[in-house]
Amino acid sequence: MPHIVDIGLNLAHGQFRKDLWTVLDRAVKAGVTTLVATGTDLKASAATIALIRRIQKRDLGLQLACTVGVHPHNAGASPESLVAELRAMIVANRDIAVAVGECGLDFNRDFSPRDAQIRVFRAQVELACELGLPLFCHERDAHASFLSVLMPFLETGRLRSDRVVVHCFTGSERELHAYVGLGFYLGVTGFVAMPQRGRHLRPLLSRIPRDRLLVETDAPFMHPSQKRTRCEPSDIHTVLETIATATGTTPALRTAPSAQLPPAPPLPPTRPPAPVSIDGSLFEGGGQILRLAAPLAVLNNTPVIVHSIRANRPKPGLARQHLGGLELAAAISGADFEGLELLSTQVSVRPRAAPRTSAYVKDLHGAGSLSLVLQGVLPLLVRASETVPTVLTLRGGTHVPFSPPMDFWCSGLSLLLARMGITLSIETRACGFMPLGRGHVIVTVPPVGPAGIQPLQLATRSREPSRVQSQIVVYGTGDAVGAAMECHDILVAGIHERFGVFPPFESAVTVQSFKAKGGLRIALHVTLELTHGNVLTGSCIQAATAADAVADVVAEIDRVWTTDACVDEHLADNLLVYMALASGPSLLRVPLNTSSQHIEAAMHVISAITRVPFNVTEDGASRLVECPGQSQETERRHL
């Protein structure tokens, strides 16, 4: 029985989920003795490592290794912490992580901007040189740029040519000669056996030195039949037979050079970066500082200590709501959090690479605000290199005093986030109120996409309405339906009286009956969409009458209506972090005078951790906030 090595396959791909063990059994029976599974982004690399650890627990007669890296298709969505996370993942798994990749350039599909592809590829070449590991490379329609990245490393001796594998080679004769002349290894897949697509490649096989020709399947892709059929490791025999027919011989049945290299030397000890210290008592000294500091520490790969938490409040330290949000952030990020206990006045966050999942559940066991919990974890999800949506199941309070209701997310903030490439699906299955909570919300966060978070340009004032949405929630005991209808009628009249003629209302009514002191209570949220993208919101959490609820909401909207601002202060407070994480400069017109210092606190914390600046200019009754986004900082750091 031959000993065959498949140097590249996507073992953690979903197509193998249902029958993985059968696929592996067929591979063993076909004489495949070693599999090198490919990592294509942070999540896929972590999933591949976890899968290999799981397979290793069974005696299947297989040797398993993997590459760790980011495919050019995913380069545009890579976080600033990419290199640090890749390094940590490799160092923690040196027994199986044998190469950096799949990395390189793909100018055929351009799923990521070309400048991002080049930047991320160069960063991974740097990492491979630092760790003494081979490169597992992808190149398609980018030959010249691909070599322009590699040549400086080759010419200076930092990178050895026999540590470069050009995976799934499908190029031209000229490109083949260049790679062979440099001494690169070339991987050949089922593409070579495809009747039409592989026709140009088969005559070139004899020009590849036998000791530089490697075989792979790239499963579940590249099935030799050229049909939409799943490929698997046992199909490698078709690749071998095609090579044998074309060359009159067979390639060296061995893995990429990575598996034959001696273990890379341990990394020299490095001094960990000093943590950024954030005073949790600054400005209003509330939980907002924690909700910003924790995710930004992870995304920026920067240790952070928040001290004097809520020091000026009647009950200093972490409340149950803050603790629950930080626990969820720790579960999502895998970072090391210290100080997670009730009434703790100091919390430290130290980022580290960790496997991710696509579903999380958090129960606050009370009426803690779910909207504030979501505020503190969403940045971790939208900047993750996810390939499938992440689903959060949250239980707690949906309508809690001194915090935005979940309706604020559903019909207000989500509109503006969508313009930045962040699309959310929020399903409120049950509302939760003080003091018991019992709200049930499911939030689905799809991948942001290769372009990343988009800048926001919202500086032109408008007071011409284009859409009005209202969410009326009546809860407690009494004639809830009648109260809801009364609230709707009073709201329509109040809006028309104060702001003029509006388009038809889009009203959603929720009635939730339970025994409560004081009878019925009304929660109301209104979102006004205006031309030029302006959005204004107003909320009332617990009013005794419909008239009181409407009066509170109209007054809140009116405070912004009389300024030049394009959004209200609550929307601005939430948008600033995504402006800092965006791929380019953003411009946002916010109110000059606000009821809180949340905008100032947000800019302070964001800049302290990310070093992304904000420039604020007073302009009439509003302030113009400018932010360059991550593009400037990322370019300076080269990831």
Side-chain angles (χ1 to χ4, degrees), residues 293-308:
L296 288 175
V298 174
L299 295 175
N300 205 59
N301 196 37
T302 301
V304 169
I305 295 176
V306 182
H307 63 86
S308 306

Side-chain angles (χ1 to χ4, degrees), residues 245-386:
T245 300
T247 65
T249 183
T250 56
L253 301 182
R254 58 186 239 183
T255 185
S258 52
Q260 296 186 342
L261 294 173
L267 295 176
T270 57
R271 179 179 299 176
V276 174
S277 179
I278 303 291
D279 187 343
S281 68
L282 290 178
F283 301 97
E284 295 178 352
Q288 178 205 23
I289 292 176
L290 288 166
R291 291 189 293 273
L292 286 168
L296 288 175
V298 174
L299 295 175
N300 205 59
N301 196 37
T302 301
V304 169
I305 295 176
V306 182
H307 63 86
S308 306
I309 295 171
R310 304 176 74 242
N312 300 323
R313 298 297 176 94
K315 292 183 178 180
L318 296 180
R320 189 173 300 279
Q321 169 186 291
H322 310 120
L323 179 60
L326 291 173
E327 288 172 341
L328 180 57
I332 293 171
S333 67
D336 292 324
F337 280 66
E338 294 182 2
L340 295 190
E341 56 188 38
L342 286 175
L343 304 182
S344 172
T345 58
Q346 179 168 303
V347 170
S348 66
V349 183
R350 188 167 294 277
R352 66 180 178 88
R356 293 284 309 277
T357 65
S358 59
Y360 299 91
V361 178
K362 188 61 185 178
D363 190 338
L364 298 183
H365 300 289
S369 171
L370 296 183
S371 66
L372 296 183
V373 169
L374 181 58
Q375 181 189 39
V377 300
L378 184 61
L380 294 170
L381 302 177
V382 301
R383 279 293 300 270
S385 300
E386 300 293 331

Side-chain angles (χ1 to χ4, degrees), residues 1-2 22-33 60 62 234 237:
M1 178 71 70
T22 302
V23 169
L24 295 178
D25 182 63
R26 280 196 291 266
V28 172
K29 290 178 179 177
V32 179
T33 60
L60 300 180
L62 273 172
S234 59
H237 279 281

Side-chain angles (χ1 to χ4, degrees), residues 191-196 198-206 242 246-247:
F191 181 95
V192 74
M194 295 180 185
Q196 297 300 321
R199 183 169 52 185
H200 78 283
L201 186 58
R202 288 189 285 274
L204 302 180
L205 293 176
S206 60
T242 302
T247 65

